[in-house]
Amino acid sequence: MPSSAATRRANQANADRLALSVPPTCTVFDKNISFTVKATSDLFDVEHDQIWGLFEENMHELYRSSSFGWDPQEKRKEMFDPLSRFVIARDISDATNNPLGIIAYSIFRFDRENRQNVVYCYELQVYKDARRLGLGRLLTQILSDIGAQWGMTKVMLTVLQANHVAMEFYKSIGFTVDEISPDFSDDSTEDECDYSILSRFCICLLECTERVRNHNGQRRHTFILRFMPPSLRALTQRALGRRYASHSAPHYNEPTGWLFGEKPLPPGQKRVKEEWENIWYYGMFGSMALATVLLYYKPDTSIQTWALKEAKERMEARGEKYKYESSSS
């Protein structure tokens, strides 16, 4: 299918620009994981070999028994296409069991399917000793973040139906059978296939807001949760300007034990407010004060008040007293 302006622009972006949507490091079950984005031309030979080796170890038997068959030459050509991009996860805390450090990766391209701009995930592989750590979920979300940042609508991928573990995993994180999949409808007239095409809309959850200095003077990224679609997020950023994190929080806003995540300052040091704080404080408490005044002076329009007033007027018109007065003896 012909490419769109968005896919052409994304395919022309280098790895450094794509990496702006990717967390540089995170901690997963006491493991320090780093993420790098590379194009095919950026891969070292040793990285190239390990990526292929991990794929072959995980998928060789599944491909042999599938309709795709095992064709290493054709599969290498697909994986290491000039338009392929790689998100590589490395365990930087333990180089003993895995000297190269690569414990998982995803391969993706920007493409166009069914008149929609998509991030197509060609491979997502995890080293056997690094499974059950949430790396697959994290790599999938990174693809969604990249897609949302570059104007893509969906993340799409192909799963062999014999790979039950992968099928259950993708469905558990929100993927559904896409309308272009051969098994999309029960009454499909196409021949029975042994694979499914799954998709999920791109929702950006992790967005790098800025680099800030921590107390050691080192550079690190901070991330905030975002659930907005790309168009609404862009509109908000233009209206409010650049947002600044209030502290140097760990990745994914892990709990710090401090109120609002801010560590108390040393004695004698005064906290500097951010631009938004006074507006928020005055706006919130001013609104509460105004609401209190308005409620206090609000006219009494209840039916009971109206009925009492009406009864008094009618009794006065008849010459009756509406107040009780005791008769003197």
Side-chain angles (χ1 to χ4, degrees):
M1 182 174 291
S3 62
S4 65
T7 56
R8 288 194 297 270
R9 180 172 60 89
N11 282 321
Q12 291 170 1
N14 59 28
D16 291 337
R17 293 183 64 190
L18 297 178
L20 294 176
S21 303
V22 179
T25 59
C26 73
T27 302
V28 180
F29 290 94
D30 296 328
K31 291 181 178 291
N32 294 324
I33 310 298
S34 70
F35 295 95
T36 54
V37 180
K38 290 194 172 186
T40 301
S41 58
D42 299 328
L43 293 173
F44 297 111
D45 291 341
V46 67
E47 293 174 323
H48 188 287
D49 293 341
Q50 191 181 20
I51 288 172
W52 173 257
L54 181 55
F55 168 79
E56 186 174 23
E57 178 182 349
N58 289 348
M59 303 300 295
H60 178 259
E61 293 301 324
L62 286 169
Y63 266 75
R64 281 189 59 186
S65 58
S66 72
S67 59
F68 295 108
W70 180 249
D71 188 344
Q73 183 176 357
E74 188 64 26
K75 188 61 183 178
R76 281 179 181 267
K77 183 179 178 181
E78 176 191 277
M79 289 174 60
F80 300 102
D81 185 89
L83 292 179
S84 293
R85 302 291 187 270
F86 300 78
V87 179
I88 301 174
R90 289 181 170 84
D91 183 1
I92 58 178
S93 59
D94 181 14
T96 304
N97 297 326
N98 192 10
L100 293 178
I102 297 180
I103 57 174
Y105 66 83
S106 62
I107 305 176
F108 69 95
R109 297 185 210 167
F110 297 103
D111 212 335
R112 191 163 174 82
E113 294 286 348
N114 198 27
R115 299 186 298 278
Q116 292 181 319
N117 301 323
V118 303
V119 175
Y120 211 107
C121 178
Y122 281 79
E123 293 298 334
L124 194 156
Q125 301 296 336
V126 180
Y127 189 61
K128 61 182 180 181
D129 293 335
R131 293 172 185 169
R132 303 294 179 183
L133 298 180
L135 291 174
R137 180 186 296 269
L138 189 53
L139 285 170
T140 306
Q141 183 57 51
I142 286 174
L143 296 186
S144 183
D145 293 343
I146 293 175
Q149 196 69 29
W150 289 89
M152 303 295 114
T153 304
K154 294 178 179 178
V155 177
M156 298 184 68
L157 47 86
T158 302
V159 185
L160 293 173
Q161 293 178 356
N163 194 350
H164 303 295
V165 174
M167 187 71 74
E168 292 178 3
F169 162 72
Y170 287 121
K171 289 186 176 180
S172 71
I173 60 175
F175 280 83
T176 57
V177 178
D178 193 80
E179 57 187 3
I180 68 171
S181 181
D183 58 340
F184 177 67
S185 59
D186 296 334
D187 56 349
S188 177
T189 58
E190 296 192 29
D191 297 335
E192 185 175 350
C193 292
D194 60 353
Y195 67 90
S196 296
I197 299 175
L198 308 182
S199 66
R200 189 183 78 178
F201 286 103
C202 290
I203 301 177
C204 187
L205 297 183
L206 299 175
E207 180 177 332
C208 177
T209 56
E210 64 168 338
R211 290 177 181 264
V212 296
R213 289 190 182 277
N214 62 11
H215 61 280
N216 293 324
Q218 299 173 342
R219 302 291 281 183
R220 70 192 303 178
H221 283 75
T222 58
F223 292 83
I224 60 175
L225 290 178
R226 293 291 179 87
F227 295 90
M228 297 182 182
S231 58
L232 182 56
R233 188 173 62 256
L235 179 62
T236 304
Q237 289 175 339
R238 286 197 298 270
L240 300 180
R242 187 177 182 183
R243 290 182 176 267
Y244 293 86
S246 61
H247 62 285
S248 179
H251 303 297
Y252 313 120
N253 293 331
E254 296 177 355
T256 62
W258 304 105
L259 181 63
F260 303 126
E262 292 193 4
K263 187 176 181 180
L265 297 174
Q269 186 174 348
K270 185 178 180 181
R271 181 182 178 276
V272 179
K273 289 185 179 180
E274 298 184 23
E275 296 177 356
W276 59 269
E277 291 188 65
N278 284 334
I279 299 175
W280 192 86
Y281 293 146
Y282 293 141
M284 183 184 72
F285 292 111
S287 299
M288 293 173 62
L290 178 62
T292 302
V293 173
L294 293 177
L295 288 173
Y296 183 80
Y297 290 103
K298 175 186 175 183
D300 188 355
T301 57
S302 65
I303 187 65
Q304 292 87 348
T305 303
W306 173 86
L308 178 60
K309 181 181 178 182
E310 185 71 15
K312 288 180 180 179
E313 292 177 351
R314 291 183 181 183
M315 291 178 71
E316 288 177 351
R318 294 195 298 265
E320 300 175 358
K321 296 181 180 180
Y322 63 86
K323 287 185 179 181
Y324 174 76
E325 296 180 359
S326 61
S327 58
S328 58
S329 54

